[in-house]
Amino acid sequence: MDKFIINGGKRLTGTVNISGAKNAAVAIIPATILADGPCILYNVPEINDVSIDLRILTEMGAEVKIINKNTIRIDAAHIRDMVVPYEMARSMRASYYFLSTMLNRFGRARVSMPGGCDLGDRPIDQHLKCFKALGADYTIEHGIVDIKADKLIGTQIYFDRVTVGATINAILAACKAEGLTILENAAKEPHIVDLANFLNSMGADIMGAGTDVIKIRGVNKLHGTEYTVIPDQIEAGTYMIAAAATKGNVIINNIIPKHLEPITSKLRKIGVVIEEHDDYLRVIGQERYEKTTVKTMPHPGFPTDMQPQLTALLTMAKGTSIVTESMFDNRFRYVDELRRMGADISVDGKVAIIEGVEHLTGAPVKASDLRAGAALIIAGLSTEGITEIEDIYHIERGYEDMEIKLQNLGADIVKRVFTDGMRKAL
Ligand code: EPU
C-alpha cells in the first residue's frame, strides 16, 4: 500500500552509487549452505529479496549476522532443517536455489514452487532435468518440490533453452557431485560468473562461467570465504535511463562498464551521450531521442530486465519504436499504466509498438512487477506533474534505497508509508 509520490520534470544531476547485484546476491546467499565454515559477504544489497533469503536461512538454523548495511556474515554449519518455510519460498523466484544447495548438502530438499515477478508462464523443467541428470528423484505435491538423491554424480547436461536460474541451480548442485559435470548452452550473465567466482573462492573447481560451456569438477569440501558481490547492472541501467529521460547529467558510480555494454550501446544508438571510465559512466541526457528497434535476448543481448525502462524512455522519443520481448510471455503489463500517462503504445503478443509523444503527464499508476515499477518511476520523473505509484513493494524487492538515491540526484520523490491504522481506516 505504500506509495511513491513524484513531482516530475526535474533534471537529475550528481552521482549515484550502484549497489550489489540482486540476482548475484540471491544465488550466493543460498550457496553459503555449502561451506564448512562462515562466509562474509560484502556489497550485499539491502533489498527485500535478500531479507527473505536471510530469513529463510535463519529459520532453518543458520547464524546470520548483519555486520553493517551491506556486509553479512553467514554461518550455515548448524542448519538443521531441510524444509524451506513455504510462504517465504513462495514469495520469491530465487528460493529455488535452496533446492540445489540443500540437496547437495543433505541429499534432500523440500521447497515450495517458486514465486517472483508475474511475467507469464515460468516453468522449472530445465532445473528438474538437471537434478535428475545428476541422479536425483523428485515429486511435486501440494505446491512443494521434494527432491532426494543418495549421491549426485557428474554428467553432461544440454539446456533446451538458455536459462539463468537452471544454469545456477546446475552449478550449485554439481559443485560437490562426484566427477565432472559439463553444462552446454549455459546462460552467460555476469551473475553466473559471480556465483562461480564465489564458489571457486570456497575451493570449488568451476571453469568456463561466462561462456556457454561450463565445466564443474566436483570437490569433497567447500570452505568459508570472504567475497564481494558485483555491482548490479540492471540498477545501473535503470539510473542511466532515468538520467537520460530527465535530460540530466549523472555519474553512475561503482559499476563494471563491460557488464553494461548491451545497455550502453542501445542508449548511444538513440542519442544518449555516455562517457565511459574505469568504474563509472557519465550519462548526459539530450532534449529528445531517436526511435529504435530492440529485442530482448540472453546476455550479452539486451536484457529483458531493462525492457520496461527502455520502453518508458521510447514513449517520448521521435517516431515509432518496436520492442520485442523474447524471454517472457507477459512482460508488457505496465503498458496500460504508461498509457494512463499519455503514452501511445500498442501491444501484439510479445511486440510493443511505441509511437513517440512529446511528453507524458503525471497520473496515479500501479507497479505490476519490479522492473515495471522502475519504468513508471522513470516516466514519472521525466514528466511535469504528480505521479503516484502504488504497490511499490515490487520495487523494494530489488532496488536499494531508490527514493533516497533519486532524492540525492535532485528528484522530487517521497515515499508515503501507510501505517496499519491508516490501512484499516481505508
Ligand atoms: N525457462 C523454462 N524452463 C526452465 C527455466 C526457464 O522454460 O526450467 C524459461 C523461462 O520461462 C523464461 C526463460 O526460460 O522464458 C528465461 O528464464 P530464466 O531461467 O533465464 O529466468 P529466471 O532464472 O526465472 C532470472 C532473473 C530474472 C531475469 C531472468 C532473465 C533471478 C532471481 N531472476 O530469472 O530477473 O529476468 O533471469 O535474465 O535471477 C528481475 O530481476 O527483474 C528478474 C525478473
Side-chain angles (χ1 to χ4, degrees):
M1 253 247 182
D2 299 343
K3 288 180 181 179
F4 282 142
I5 303 186
I6 302 172
N7 183 8
K10 317 265 183 303
R11 285 179 73 227
L12 298 187
T13 54
T15 299
V16 59
N17 287 317
I18 298 306
S19 302
K22 165 176 98 76
N23 289 343
V26 295
I28 287 172
I29 291 169
T32 60
I33 291 177
L34 301 175
D36 278 354
C39 295
I40 298 181
L41 304 178
Y42 303 99
N43 204 32
V44 180
E46 194 184 38
I47 52 174
N48 286 349
D49 273 9
V50 162
S51 308
I52 297 170
D53 254 353
L54 297 177
R55 273 180 23 227
I56 290 175
L57 281 175
T58 309
E59 287 275 323
M60 292 194 307
E63 206 178 275
V64 175
K65 190 165 173 217
I66 311 289
I67 295 175
N68 62 43
K69 185 174 168 65
N70 301 113
T71 307
I72 298 167
R73 181 181 186 278
I74 301 172
D75 187 347
H78 305 294
I79 285 196
R80 48 181 185 270
D81 206 341
M82 55 193 105
V83 182
V84 174
Y86 190 92
E87 281 309 321
M88 288 187 204
R90 204 171 100 131
S91 66
M92 70 186 292
R93 192 85 204 147
S95 56
Y96 51 32
Y97 299 140
F98 286 96
L99 275 173
S100 49
T101 48
M102 303 296 278
L103 176 71
N104 195 329
R105 174 151 163 199
F106 296 109
R108 180 152 190 203
R110 274 177 288 166
V111 184
S112 79
M113 287 291 280
C117 289
D118 179 4
L119 310 174
D121 192 23
R122 296 180 80 177
I124 61 163
D125 57 304
Q126 298 301 304
H127 301 244
L128 298 172
K129 168 178 151 168
C130 290
F131 298 143
K132 213 167 168 108
L134 288 161
D137 275 326
Y138 64 86
T139 57
I140 303 177
E141 279 174 352
H142 311 297
I144 294 175
V145 185
D146 186 347
I147 185 157
K148 294 178 204 164
D150 293 335
K151 197 180 197 184
L152 294 171
I153 299 176
T155 185
Q156 191 153 351
I157 299 166
Y158 183 87
F159 292 103
D160 302 326
R161 60 176 300 165
V162 179
T163 133
V164 170
T167 301
I168 289 180
N169 252 337
I171 295 173
L172 289 169
C175 62
K176 285 169 81 184
E178 191 179 294
L180 180 67
T181 299
I182 301 177
L183 307 179
E184 290 178 299
N185 199 25
K188 298 182 276 201
E189 269 66 5
H191 32 287
I192 288 172
V193 181
D194 208 36
L195 173 74
N197 287 343
F198 170 69
L199 291 168
N200 285 343
S201 79
M202 291 160 79
D205 183 355
I206 303 167
M207 281 176 57
T211 75
D212 58 5
V213 179
I214 302 177
K215 294 188 179 163
I216 307 150
R217 197 167 289 283
V219 295
N220 289 332
K221 275 173 80 121
L222 293 174
H223 52 77
T225 188
E226 293 195 19
Y227 192 78
T228 303
V229 176
I230 51 165
D232 194 311
Q233 88 265 30
I234 303 300
E235 188 198 18
T238 301
Y239 284 100
M240 289 168 76
I241 293 188
T246 60
K247 311 177 180 68
N249 186 330
V250 174
I251 290 178
I252 315 284
N253 198 29
N254 179 34
I255 49 136
I256 299 173
K258 178 86 190 149
H259 293 171
L260 288 166
E261 269 172 11
I263 302 166
T264 307
S265 66
K266 186 47 84 180
L267 291 181
R268 280 187 173 142
K269 196 163 169 227
I270 64 170
V272 182
V273 175
I274 300 170
E275 293 170 2
E276 200 171 302
H277 301 269
D278 281 352
D279 62 355
Y280 72 93
L281 298 174
R282 180 187 286 279
V283 178
I284 305 167
Q286 308 296 305
E287 257 328 288
R288 233 175 143 197
Y289 301 103
E290 303 301 324
K291 63 184 178 182
T292 193
T293 299
V294 65
K295 184 173 183 180
T296 62
M297 298 293 276
H299 191 78
F302 189 83
T304 173
D305 294 345
M306 286 300 301
Q307 179 262 99
Q309 302 90 313
L310 181 67
T311 301
L313 183 63
L314 294 174
T315 60
M316 295 165 281
K318 292 182 246 170
T320 310
S321 296
I322 299 177
V323 174
T324 305
E325 171 57 50
S326 72
M327 305 292 285
F328 293 106
D329 291 342
N330 191 5
R331 208 168 196 177
F332 285 123
R333 288 167 68 216
Y334 62 91
V335 159
D336 265 344
E337 304 303 295
L338 287 179
R339 285 193 193 117
R340 285 176 197 277
M341 301 178 72
D344 181 351
I345 310 177
S346 54
V347 176
D348 186 1
K350 290 186 163 190
V351 181
I353 298 164
I354 304 145
E355 302 290 347
V357 295
E358 288 219 359
H359 57 83
L360 304 179
T361 54
V365 288
K366 256 187 196 177
S368 53
D369 63 65
L370 170 59
R371 311 301 174 187
L376 296 176
I377 289 185
I378 289 167
L381 290 171
S382 61
T383 204
E384 297 289 338
I386 303 290
T387 297
E388 284 195 18
I389 306 178
E390 269 183 49
D391 290 351
I392 61 170
Y393 63 89
H394 289 296
I395 300 169
E396 294 179 333
R397 283 190 34 220
Y399 288 93
E400 181 177 272
D401 297 337
M402 194 162 192
E403 76 280 15
I404 298 169
K405 289 187 184 186
L406 287 169
Q407 283 161 3
N408 289 340
L409 293 174
D412 184 347
I413 175 170
V414 288
K415 178 171 159 181
R416 182 171 296 161
V417 178
F418 282 77
T419 60
D420 282 348
M422 288 158 88
R423 283 194 187 102
K424 278 184 202 137
L426 285 174

